[in-house]
Amino acid sequence: MMRPIHDLETHLTSERGATIVRPTGVLDVSTFPQLRDTLLKCAADQPDVVIVLMDDLVVGSNHLYSVFVQVWMRTSEWPGVPIMLVAEDRRLHRRLTELPAARFVPVHGSVRKAISAAGSPPQRRRAENWLPALSSASHLSRQFTAEICRRWGVRWLTYDAAAIATEFVENTLQHTDSEPVLRLELRRRLLSVAVADESPRLAVLTERSTDGSLSLGLLVVAQSARAWGCTPTHSGGKVTWAILSIDAPRYELPGEL
């Protein structure tokens, strides 16, 4: 006998830099992926904090609360946006604080308290460049990345960051009709390289060689990055991202990028 599939609706609002998510309905095995993906998309928009209002959500079993731990794990490296739960009902609040998930995802009694607990977001430096859907975008991405790394005082990351940016931009050009949007961010001793596009198709990085001298693809991303991934966005597109530690070994750049 087939198990019934329940409905789950999510209502999104914003307040003081926070994205407020109010899920209404039942969280079960059939709606688990829906809520997870909604929260991941909210985090990809990079608000100061994502706050989930729990009072209208019926959770079938305690193990389903792991959805919030999954989201926390997948967003801790990028985009580094905190996830918090709010339960205004006192009994629900007490129950949530006793769950293992509360070790990773804090629980508060109101949106105001959650925003206050989030405090000032960690200092971030951001730079963004909209690139044309042309072959010249690869060169422009390398120039932009080199200039930002120089300006931010992390020049030793230029080679890896530019190689990753090039791979992500070329992936967008080859597999979509979108104009790639390159975004660099420096926070908590981490440099992130992210490229957004309008295609829902997840990035597929393959090994290849360009001009016989620089091998790009999954290997260079996997070897250089502390972490990388591809995250859908609410606009229907995606962001492909990678994280570099600014504590990486310093070395001289191997010629012109």
PDB file of all heavy atoms in Angstrom, residues 94-132:
ATOM      1  N   ARG A  94      10.737  24.064  23.714  1.00  0.00           N
ATOM      2  CA  ARG A  94      11.464  23.180  24.619  1.00  0.00           C
ATOM      3  C   ARG A  94      11.829  21.875  23.920  1.00  0.00           C
ATOM      4  O   ARG A  94      12.938  21.352  24.075  1.00  0.00           O
ATOM      5  CB  ARG A  94      10.617  22.900  25.862  1.00  0.00           C
ATOM      6  CG  ARG A  94      11.365  22.121  26.947  1.00  0.00           C
ATOM      7  CD  ARG A  94      10.473  21.813  28.145  1.00  0.00           C
ATOM      8  NE  ARG A  94       9.814  23.004  28.646  1.00  0.00           N
ATOM      9  CZ  ARG A  94       8.497  23.219  28.544  1.00  0.00           C
ATOM     10  NH1 ARG A  94       7.724  22.310  27.968  1.00  0.00           N
ATOM     11  NH2 ARG A  94       7.970  24.318  29.020  1.00  0.00           N
ATOM     12  N   ARG A  95      10.888  21.350  23.135  1.00  0.00           N
ATOM     13  CA  ARG A  95      11.146  20.084  22.440  1.00  0.00           C
ATOM     14  C   ARG A  95      12.281  20.242  21.436  1.00  0.00           C
ATOM     15  O   ARG A  95      13.163  19.376  21.335  1.00  0.00           O
ATOM     16  CB  ARG A  95       9.875  19.635  21.722  1.00  0.00           C
ATOM     17  CG  ARG A  95      10.042  18.349  20.927  1.00  0.00           C
ATOM     18  CD  ARG A  95       8.791  18.059  20.129  1.00  0.00           C
ATOM     19  NE  ARG A  95       8.961  16.891  19.275  1.00  0.00           N
ATOM     20  CZ  ARG A  95       8.101  16.540  18.315  1.00  0.00           C
ATOM     21  NH1 ARG A  95       7.024  17.266  18.097  1.00  0.00           N
ATOM     22  NH2 ARG A  95       8.330  15.471  17.584  1.00  0.00           N
ATOM     23  N   LEU A  96      12.277  21.346  20.700  1.00  0.00           N
ATOM     24  CA  LEU A  96      13.309  21.547  19.680  1.00  0.00           C
ATOM     25  C   LEU A  96      14.686  21.728  20.300  1.00  0.00           C
ATOM     26  O   LEU A  96      15.688  21.248  19.761  1.00  0.00           O
ATOM     27  CB  LEU A  96      12.960  22.758  18.811  1.00  0.00           C
ATOM     28  CG  LEU A  96      11.716  22.624  17.921  1.00  0.00           C
ATOM     29  CD1 LEU A  96      11.465  23.917  17.156  1.00  0.00           C
ATOM     30  CD2 LEU A  96      11.858  21.453  16.953  1.00  0.00           C
ATOM     31  N   THR A  97      14.752  22.420  21.424  1.00  0.00           N
ATOM     32  CA  THR A  97      16.057  22.646  22.047  1.00  0.00           C
ATOM     33  C   THR A  97      16.659  21.365  22.603  1.00  0.00           C
ATOM     34  O   THR A  97      17.875  21.300  22.833  1.00  0.00           O
ATOM     35  CB  THR A  97      15.941  23.670  23.191  1.00  0.00           C
ATOM     36  OG1 THR A  97      14.984  23.207  24.159  1.00  0.00           O
ATOM     37  CG2 THR A  97      15.509  25.029  22.662  1.00  0.00           C
ATOM     38  N   GLU A  98      15.837  20.340  22.803  1.00  0.00           N
ATOM     39  CA  GLU A  98      16.328  19.068  23.322  1.00  0.00           C
ATOM     40  C   GLU A  98      16.758  18.107  22.226  1.00  0.00           C
ATOM     41  O   GLU A  98      17.310  17.036  22.508  1.00  0.00           O
ATOM     42  CB  GLU A  98      15.240  18.416  24.190  1.00  0.00           C
ATOM     43  CG  GLU A  98      14.927  19.193  25.464  1.00  0.00           C
ATOM     44  CD  GLU A  98      13.734  18.641  26.210  1.00  0.00           C
ATOM     45  OE1 GLU A  98      13.046  17.747  25.651  1.00  0.00           O
ATOM     46  OE2 GLU A  98      13.474  19.091  27.343  1.00  0.00           O
ATOM     47  N   LEU A  99      16.527  18.460  20.973  1.00  0.00           N
ATOM     48  CA  LEU A  99      16.893  17.590  19.856  1.00  0.00           C
ATOM     49  C   LEU A  99      18.377  17.738  19.520  1.00  0.00           C
ATOM     50  O   LEU A  99      18.961  18.807  19.714  1.00  0.00           O
ATOM     51  CB  LEU A  99      16.058  17.931  18.626  1.00  0.00           C
ATOM     52  CG  LEU A  99      14.560  17.631  18.710  1.00  0.00           C
ATOM     53  CD1 LEU A  99      13.854  18.193  17.483  1.00  0.00           C
ATOM     54  CD2 LEU A  99      14.310  16.135  18.821  1.00  0.00           C
ATOM     55  N   PRO A 100      19.000  16.686  18.972  1.00  0.00           N
ATOM     56  CA  PRO A 100      20.408  16.792  18.550  1.00  0.00           C
ATOM     57  C   PRO A 100      20.647  17.895  17.531  1.00  0.00           C
ATOM     58  O   PRO A 100      21.733  18.493  17.507  1.00  0.00           O
ATOM     59  CB  PRO A 100      20.694  15.405  17.951  1.00  0.00           C
ATOM     60  CG  PRO A 100      19.723  14.488  18.625  1.00  0.00           C
ATOM     61  CD  PRO A 100      18.485  15.303  18.841  1.00  0.00           C
ATOM     62  N   ALA A 101      19.645  18.183  16.697  1.00  0.00           N
ATOM     63  CA  ALA A 101      19.816  19.204  15.669  1.00  0.00           C
ATOM     64  C   ALA A 101      20.118  20.571  16.257  1.00  0.00           C
ATOM     65  O   ALA A 101      20.762  21.411  15.608  1.00  0.00           O
ATOM     66  CB  ALA A 101      18.553  19.283  14.798  1.00  0.00           C
ATOM     67  N   ALA A 102      19.674  20.820  17.502  1.00  0.00           N
ATOM     68  CA  ALA A 102      19.887  22.129  18.133  1.00  0.00           C
ATOM     69  C   ALA A 102      21.359  22.406  18.384  1.00  0.00           C
ATOM     70  O   ALA A 102      21.742  23.560  18.619  1.00  0.00           O
ATOM     71  CB  ALA A 102      19.093  22.215  19.427  1.00  0.00           C
ATOM     72  N   ARG A 103      22.210  21.384  18.355  1.00  0.00           N
ATOM     73  CA  ARG A 103      23.656  21.593  18.504  1.00  0.00           C
ATOM     74  C   ARG A 103      24.217  22.385  17.327  1.00  0.00           C
ATOM     75  O   ARG A 103      25.234  23.066  17.458  1.00  0.00           O
ATOM     76  CB  ARG A 103      24.378  20.253  18.611  1.00  0.00           C
ATOM     77  CG  ARG A 103      24.034  19.447  19.850  1.00  0.00           C
ATOM     78  CD  ARG A 103      24.610  18.046  19.739  1.00  0.00           C
ATOM     79  NE  ARG A 103      26.027  18.059  19.387  1.00  0.00           N
ATOM     80  CZ  ARG A 103      26.682  17.008  18.894  1.00  0.00           C
ATOM     81  NH1 ARG A 103      26.041  15.861  18.676  1.00  0.00           N
ATOM     82  NH2 ARG A 103      27.964  17.102  18.616  1.00  0.00           N
ATOM     83  N   PHE A 104      23.561  22.274  16.175  1.00  0.00           N
ATOM     84  CA  PHE A 104      24.062  22.908  14.965  1.00  0.00           C
ATOM     85  C   PHE A 104      23.179  24.073  14.517  1.00  0.00           C
ATOM     86  O   PHE A 104      23.670  25.029  13.922  1.00  0.00           O
ATOM     87  CB  PHE A 104      24.148  21.870  13.834  1.00  0.00           C
ATOM     88  CG  PHE A 104      24.885  20.630  14.218  1.00  0.00           C
ATOM     89  CD1 PHE A 104      24.208  19.492  14.640  1.00  0.00           C
ATOM     90  CD2 PHE A 104      26.268  20.592  14.172  1.00  0.00           C
ATOM     91  CE1 PHE A 104      24.891  18.338  14.999  1.00  0.00           C
ATOM     92  CE2 PHE A 104      26.961  19.446  14.531  1.00  0.00           C
ATOM     93  CZ  PHE A 104      26.273  18.315  14.955  1.00  0.00           C
ATOM     94  N   VAL A 105      21.880  23.960  14.771  1.00  0.00           N
ATOM     95  CA  VAL A 105      20.913  24.966  14.322  1.00  0.00           C
ATOM     96  C   VAL A 105      20.221  25.534  15.553  1.00  0.00           C
ATOM     97  O   VAL A 105      19.359  24.874  16.140  1.00  0.00           O
ATOM     98  CB  VAL A 105      19.884  24.341  13.350  1.00  0.00           C
ATOM     99  CG1 VAL A 105      18.953  25.418  12.811  1.00  0.00           C
ATOM    100  CG2 VAL A 105      20.592  23.625  12.201  1.00  0.00           C
ATOM    101  N   PRO A 106      20.566  26.747  15.988  1.00  0.00           N
ATOM    102  CA  PRO A 106      19.996  27.317  17.219  1.00  0.00           C
ATOM    103  C   PRO A 106      18.484  27.494  17.131  1.00  0.00           C
ATOM    104  O   PRO A 106      17.924  27.712  16.055  1.00  0.00           O
ATOM    105  CB  PRO A 106      20.708  28.669  17.337  1.00  0.00           C
ATOM    106  CG  PRO A 106      21.929  28.560  16.484  1.00  0.00           C
ATOM    107  CD  PRO A 106      21.573  27.616  15.379  1.00  0.00           C
ATOM    108  N   VAL A 107      17.839  27.410  18.291  1.00  0.00           N
ATOM    109  CA  VAL A 107      16.392  27.565  18.395  1.00  0.00           C
ATOM    110  C   VAL A 107      16.092  28.787  19.259  1.00  0.00           C
ATOM    111  O   VAL A 107      16.666  28.943  20.352  1.00  0.00           O
ATOM    112  CB  VAL A 107      15.734  26.316  19.024  1.00  0.00           C
ATOM    113  CG1 VAL A 107      14.215  26.466  19.047  1.00  0.00           C
ATOM    114  CG2 VAL A 107      16.140  25.060  18.252  1.00  0.00           C
ATOM    115  N   HIS A 108      15.173  29.645  18.780  1.00  0.00           N
ATOM    116  CA  HIS A 108      14.817  30.863  19.504  1.00  0.00           C
ATOM    117  C   HIS A 108      13.298  30.963  19.626  1.00  0.00           C
ATOM    118  O   HIS A 108      12.550  30.281  18.919  1.00  0.00           O
ATOM    119  CB  HIS A 108      15.383  32.092  18.787  1.00  0.00           C
ATOM    120  CG  HIS A 108      16.873  32.084  18.697  1.00  0.00           C
ATOM    121  ND1 HIS A 108      17.680  32.454  19.740  1.00  0.00           N
ATOM    122  CD2 HIS A 108      17.704  31.717  17.677  1.00  0.00           C
ATOM    123  CE1 HIS A 108      18.953  32.331  19.377  1.00  0.00           C
ATOM    124  NE2 HIS A 108      18.994  31.884  18.134  1.00  0.00           N
ATOM    125  N   GLY A 109      12.863  31.840  20.530  1.00  0.00           N
ATOM    126  CA  GLY A 109      11.438  31.968  20.795  1.00  0.00           C
ATOM    127  C   GLY A 109      10.725  32.996  19.950  1.00  0.00           C
ATOM    128  O   GLY A 109       9.492  33.077  19.984  1.00  0.00           O
ATOM    129  N   SER A 110      11.466  33.791  19.184  1.00  0.00           N
ATOM    130  CA  SER A 110      10.847  34.798  18.319  1.00  0.00           C
ATOM    131  C   SER A 110      11.820  35.182  17.217  1.00  0.00           C
ATOM    132  O   SER A 110      13.038  34.960  17.335  1.00  0.00           O
ATOM    133  CB  SER A 110      10.456  36.041  19.120  1.00  0.00           C
ATOM    134  OG  SER A 110      11.612  36.733  19.559  1.00  0.00           O
ATOM    135  N   VAL A 111      11.283  35.769  16.161  1.00  0.00           N
ATOM    136  CA  VAL A 111      12.132  36.254  15.069  1.00  0.00           C
ATOM    137  C   VAL A 111      13.057  37.348  15.575  1.00  0.00           C
ATOM    138  O   VAL A 111      14.247  37.403  15.213  1.00  0.00           O
ATOM    139  CB  VAL A 111      11.265  36.766  13.897  1.00  0.00           C
ATOM    140  CG1 VAL A 111      12.126  37.483  12.857  1.00  0.00           C
ATOM    141  CG2 VAL A 111      10.507  35.610  13.252  1.00  0.00           C
ATOM    142  N   ARG A 112      12.538  38.216  16.433  1.00  0.00           N
ATOM    143  CA  ARG A 112      13.357  39.294  16.964  1.00  0.00           C
ATOM    144  C   ARG A 112      14.574  38.742  17.705  1.00  0.00           C
ATOM    145  O   ARG A 112      15.698  39.231  17.537  1.00  0.00           O
ATOM    146  CB  ARG A 112      12.521  40.170  17.897  1.00  0.00           C
ATOM    147  CG  ARG A 112      13.306  41.307  18.558  1.00  0.00           C
ATOM    148  CD  ARG A 112      12.419  42.082  19.525  1.00  0.00           C
ATOM    149  NE  ARG A 112      11.888  41.214  20.567  1.00  0.00           N
ATOM    150  CZ  ARG A 112      12.551  40.837  21.649  1.00  0.00           C
ATOM    151  NH1 ARG A 112      13.803  41.255  21.825  1.00  0.00           N
ATOM    152  NH2 ARG A 112      12.003  40.060  22.555  1.00  0.00           N
ATOM    153  N   LYS A 113      14.364  37.715  18.521  1.00  0.00           N
ATOM    154  CA  LYS A 113      15.473  37.126  19.267  1.00  0.00           C
ATOM    155  C   LYS A 113      16.462  36.433  18.330  1.00  0.00           C
ATOM    156  O   LYS A 113      17.674  36.472  18.565  1.00  0.00           O
ATOM    157  CB  LYS A 113      14.940  36.138  20.298  1.00  0.00           C
ATOM    158  CG  LYS A 113      14.188  36.796  21.454  1.00  0.00           C
ATOM    159  CD  LYS A 113      13.687  35.753  22.440  1.00  0.00           C
ATOM    160  CE  LYS A 113      12.953  36.405  23.605  1.00  0.00           C
ATOM    161  NZ  LYS A 113      12.425  35.414  24.575  1.00  0.00           N
ATOM    162  N   ALA A 114      15.943  35.809  17.292  1.00  0.00           N
ATOM    163  CA  ALA A 114      16.835  35.130  16.342  1.00  0.00           C
ATOM    164  C   ALA A 114      17.704  36.138  15.602  1.00  0.00           C
ATOM    165  O   ALA A 114      18.922  35.934  15.443  1.00  0.00           O
ATOM    166  CB  ALA A 114      16.017  34.306  15.359  1.00  0.00           C
ATOM    167  N   ILE A 115      17.111  37.237  15.151  1.00  0.00           N
ATOM    168  CA  ILE A 115      17.884  38.267  14.449  1.00  0.00           C
ATOM    169  C   ILE A 115      18.906  38.881  15.384  1.00  0.00           C
ATOM    170  O   ILE A 115      20.058  39.123  15.009  1.00  0.00           O
ATOM    171  CB  ILE A 115      16.943  39.338  13.870  1.00  0.00           C
ATOM    172  CG1 ILE A 115      16.079  38.735  12.753  1.00  0.00           C
ATOM    173  CG2 ILE A 115      17.740  40.524  13.346  1.00  0.00           C
ATOM    174  CD1 ILE A 115      15.078  39.702  12.162  1.00  0.00           C
ATOM    175  N   SER A 116      18.507  39.105  16.638  1.00  0.00           N
ATOM    176  CA  SER A 116      19.436  39.658  17.614  1.00  0.00           C
ATOM    177  C   SER A 116      20.596  38.701  17.871  1.00  0.00           C
ATOM    178  O   SER A 116      21.753  39.112  17.985  1.00  0.00           O
ATOM    179  CB  SER A 116      18.703  39.962  18.915  1.00  0.00           C
ATOM    180  OG  SER A 116      19.587  40.444  19.898  1.00  0.00           O
ATOM    181  N   ALA A 117      20.289  37.396  17.942  1.00  0.00           N
ATOM    182  CA  ALA A 117      21.338  36.395  18.184  1.00  0.00           C
ATOM    183  C   ALA A 117      22.304  36.308  17.009  1.00  0.00           C
ATOM    184  O   ALA A 117      23.501  36.044  17.190  1.00  0.00           O
ATOM    185  CB  ALA A 117      20.713  35.030  18.455  1.00  0.00           C
ATOM    186  N   ALA A 118      21.773  36.516  15.805  1.00  0.00           N
ATOM    187  CA  ALA A 118      22.644  36.485  14.624  1.00  0.00           C
ATOM    188  C   ALA A 118      23.657  37.620  14.686  1.00  0.00           C
ATOM    189  O   ALA A 118      24.779  37.495  14.187  1.00  0.00           O
ATOM    190  CB  ALA A 118      21.811  36.574  13.352  1.00  0.00           C
ATOM    191  N   GLY A 119      23.248  38.737  15.331  1.00  0.00           N
ATOM    192  CA  GLY A 119      24.157  39.867  15.491  1.00  0.00           C
ATOM    193  C   GLY A 119      24.580  40.447  14.161  1.00  0.00           C
ATOM    194  O   GLY A 119      23.913  40.280  13.130  1.00  0.00           O
ATOM    195  N   SER A 120      25.697  41.101  14.173  1.00  0.00           N
ATOM    196  CA  SER A 120      26.245  41.654  12.939  1.00  0.00           C
ATOM    197  C   SER A 120      26.877  40.522  12.141  1.00  0.00           C
ATOM    198  O   SER A 120      27.665  39.746  12.688  1.00  0.00           O
ATOM    199  CB  SER A 120      27.295  42.723  13.245  1.00  0.00           C
ATOM    200  OG  SER A 120      26.732  43.782  13.981  1.00  0.00           O
ATOM    201  N   PRO A 121      26.531  40.401  10.852  1.00  0.00           N
ATOM    202  CA  PRO A 121      27.139  39.333  10.057  1.00  0.00           C
ATOM    203  C   PRO A 121      28.642  39.526   9.958  1.00  0.00           C
ATOM    204  O   PRO A 121      29.146  40.644  10.090  1.00  0.00           O
ATOM    205  CB  PRO A 121      26.463  39.498   8.682  1.00  0.00           C
ATOM    206  CG  PRO A 121      26.012  40.927   8.645  1.00  0.00           C
ATOM    207  CD  PRO A 121      25.656  41.275  10.063  1.00  0.00           C
ATOM    208  N   PRO A 122      29.386  38.425   9.787  1.00  0.00           N
ATOM    209  CA  PRO A 122      30.844  38.559   9.669  1.00  0.00           C
ATOM    210  C   PRO A 122      31.204  39.466   8.495  1.00  0.00           C
ATOM    211  O   PRO A 122      30.505  39.503   7.484  1.00  0.00           O
ATOM    212  CB  PRO A 122      31.314  37.117   9.422  1.00  0.00           C
ATOM    213  CG  PRO A 122      30.099  36.392   8.943  1.00  0.00           C
ATOM    214  CD  PRO A 122      28.931  37.044   9.613  1.00  0.00           C
ATOM    215  N   GLN A 123      32.265  40.210   8.676  1.00  0.00           N
ATOM    216  CA  GLN A 123      32.680  41.149   7.642  1.00  0.00           C
ATOM    217  C   GLN A 123      32.992  40.408   6.348  1.00  0.00           C
ATOM    218  O   GLN A 123      33.719  39.422   6.338  1.00  0.00           O
ATOM    219  CB  GLN A 123      33.906  41.941   8.098  1.00  0.00           C
ATOM    220  CG  GLN A 123      34.337  43.021   7.118  1.00  0.00           C
ATOM    221  CD  GLN A 123      35.511  43.825   7.648  1.00  0.00           C
ATOM    222  OE1 GLN A 123      36.051  43.515   8.703  1.00  0.00           O
ATOM    223  NE2 GLN A 123      35.898  44.840   6.921  1.00  0.00           N
ATOM    224  N   ARG A 124      32.426  40.899   5.275  1.00  0.00           N
ATOM    225  CA  ARG A 124      32.633  40.296   3.962  1.00  0.00           C
ATOM    226  C   ARG A 124      33.062  41.374   2.977  1.00  0.00           C
ATOM    227  O   ARG A 124      32.555  42.486   3.009  1.00  0.00           O
ATOM    228  CB  ARG A 124      31.345  39.653   3.417  1.00  0.00           C
ATOM    229  CG  ARG A 124      30.780  38.520   4.263  1.00  0.00           C
ATOM    230  CD  ARG A 124      29.404  38.118   3.751  1.00  0.00           C
ATOM    231  NE  ARG A 124      28.766  37.106   4.572  1.00  0.00           N
ATOM    232  CZ  ARG A 124      28.667  35.831   4.256  1.00  0.00           C
ATOM    233  NH1 ARG A 124      29.168  35.411   3.116  1.00  0.00           N
ATOM    234  NH2 ARG A 124      28.075  34.971   5.052  1.00  0.00           N
ATOM    235  N   ARG A 125      33.978  41.011   2.119  1.00  0.00           N
ATOM    236  CA  ARG A 125      34.326  41.881   0.983  1.00  0.00           C
ATOM    237  C   ARG A 125      33.832  41.172  -0.262  1.00  0.00           C
ATOM    238  O   ARG A 125      34.126  39.996  -0.486  1.00  0.00           O
ATOM    239  CB  ARG A 125      35.835  42.122   0.936  1.00  0.00           C
ATOM    240  CG  ARG A 125      36.394  42.733   2.201  1.00  0.00           C
ATOM    241  CD  ARG A 125      37.883  42.978   2.108  1.00  0.00           C
ATOM    242  NE  ARG A 125      38.184  44.092   1.217  1.00  0.00           N
ATOM    243  CZ  ARG A 125      39.423  44.561   1.015  1.00  0.00           C
ATOM    244  NH1 ARG A 125      40.458  43.978   1.613  1.00  0.00           N
ATOM    245  NH2 ARG A 125      39.629  45.578   0.202  1.00  0.00           N
ATOM    246  N   ARG A 126      33.069  41.883  -1.067  1.00  0.00           N
ATOM    247  CA  ARG A 126      32.462  41.277  -2.254  1.00  0.00           C
ATOM    248  C   ARG A 126      32.804  42.076  -3.499  1.00  0.00           C
ATOM    249  O   ARG A 126      32.910  43.303  -3.450  1.00  0.00           O
ATOM    250  CB  ARG A 126      30.943  41.200  -2.109  1.00  0.00           C
ATOM    251  CG  ARG A 126      30.457  40.226  -1.057  1.00  0.00           C
ATOM    252  CD  ARG A 126      28.941  40.254  -0.959  1.00  0.00           C
ATOM    253  NE  ARG A 126      28.444  39.308   0.034  1.00  0.00           N
ATOM    254  CZ  ARG A 126      27.180  39.230   0.420  1.00  0.00           C
ATOM    255  NH1 ARG A 126      26.281  40.054  -0.093  1.00  0.00           N
ATOM    256  NH2 ARG A 126      26.805  38.347   1.325  1.00  0.00           N
ATOM    257  N   ALA A 127      32.963  41.366  -4.589  1.00  0.00           N
ATOM    258  CA  ALA A 127      33.166  41.987  -5.889  1.00  0.00           C
ATOM    259  C   ALA A 127      32.445  41.132  -6.922  1.00  0.00           C
ATOM    260  O   ALA A 127      32.519  39.898  -6.877  1.00  0.00           O
ATOM    261  CB  ALA A 127      34.651  42.098  -6.223  1.00  0.00           C
ATOM    262  N   GLU A 128      31.746  41.781  -7.830  1.00  0.00           N
ATOM    263  CA  GLU A 128      30.919  41.055  -8.803  1.00  0.00           C
ATOM    264  C   GLU A 128      31.144  41.621 -10.189  1.00  0.00           C
ATOM    265  O   GLU A 128      31.328  42.830 -10.351  1.00  0.00           O
ATOM    266  CB  GLU A 128      29.439  41.178  -8.405  1.00  0.00           C
ATOM    267  CG  GLU A 128      28.506  40.308  -9.219  1.00  0.00           C
ATOM    268  CD  GLU A 128      27.088  40.314  -8.649  1.00  0.00           C
ATOM    269  OE1 GLU A 128      26.810  39.517  -7.739  1.00  0.00           O
ATOM    270  OE2 GLU A 128      26.281  41.142  -9.113  1.00  0.00           O
ATOM    271  N   ASN A 129      31.136  40.753 -11.179  1.00  0.00           N
ATOM    272  CA  ASN A 129      31.356  41.167 -12.568  1.00  0.00           C
ATOM    273  C   ASN A 129      30.431  40.377 -13.488  1.00  0.00           C
ATOM    274  O   ASN A 129      30.476  39.141 -13.509  1.00  0.00           O
ATOM    275  CB  ASN A 129      32.819  40.927 -12.960  1.00  0.00           C
ATOM    276  CG  ASN A 129      33.184  41.617 -14.260  1.00  0.00           C
ATOM    277  OD1 ASN A 129      32.419  42.422 -14.787  1.00  0.00           O
ATOM    278  ND2 ASN A 129      34.349  41.308 -14.787  1.00  0.00           N
ATOM    279  N   TRP A 130      29.575  41.094 -14.202  1.00  0.00           N
ATOM    280  CA  TRP A 130      28.708  40.468 -15.206  1.00  0.00           C
ATOM    281  C   TRP A 130      29.504  40.339 -16.496  1.00  0.00           C
ATOM    282  O   TRP A 130      29.992  41.336 -17.043  1.00  0.00           O
ATOM    283  CB  TRP A 130      27.466  41.313 -15.441  1.00  0.00           C
ATOM    284  CG  TRP A 130      26.510  41.296 -14.286  1.00  0.00           C
ATOM    285  CD1 TRP A 130      26.689  41.847 -13.051  1.00  0.00           C
ATOM    286  CD2 TRP A 130      25.232  40.672 -14.269  1.00  0.00           C
ATOM    287  NE1 TRP A 130      25.604  41.611 -12.253  1.00  0.00           N
ATOM    288  CE2 TRP A 130      24.687  40.902 -12.970  1.00  0.00           C
ATOM    289  CE3 TRP A 130      24.491  39.957 -15.203  1.00  0.00           C
ATOM    290  CZ2 TRP A 130      23.442  40.419 -12.606  1.00  0.00           C
ATOM    291  CZ3 TRP A 130      23.245  39.485 -14.842  1.00  0.00           C
ATOM    292  CH2 TRP A 130      22.728  39.712 -13.555  1.00  0.00           C
ATOM    293  N   LEU A 131      29.643  39.116 -16.979  1.00  0.00           N
ATOM    294  CA  LEU A 131      30.473  38.839 -18.143  1.00  0.00           C
ATOM    295  C   LEU A 131      29.611  38.561 -19.368  1.00  0.00           C
ATOM    296  O   LEU A 131      28.493  38.049 -19.244  1.00  0.00           O
ATOM    297  CB  LEU A 131      31.377  37.635 -17.867  1.00  0.00           C
ATOM    298  CG  LEU A 131      32.329  37.806 -16.680  1.00  0.00           C
ATOM    299  CD1 LEU A 131      32.962  36.471 -16.309  1.00  0.00           C
ATOM    300  CD2 LEU A 131      33.403  38.834 -17.000  1.00  0.00           C
ATOM    301  N   PRO A 132      30.108  38.853 -20.552  1.00  0.00           N
ATOM    302  CA  PRO A 132      29.337  38.568 -21.770  1.00  0.00           C
ATOM    303  C   PRO A 132      29.347  37.077 -22.084  1.00  0.00           C
ATOM    304  O   PRO A 132      30.258  36.351 -21.692  1.00  0.00           O
ATOM    305  CB  PRO A 132      30.078  39.366 -22.843  1.00  0.00           C
ATOM    306  CG  PRO A 132      31.501  39.402 -22.366  1.00  0.00           C
ATOM    307  CD  PRO A 132      31.412  39.501 -20.858  1.00  0.00           C
TER     308      PRO A 132
END
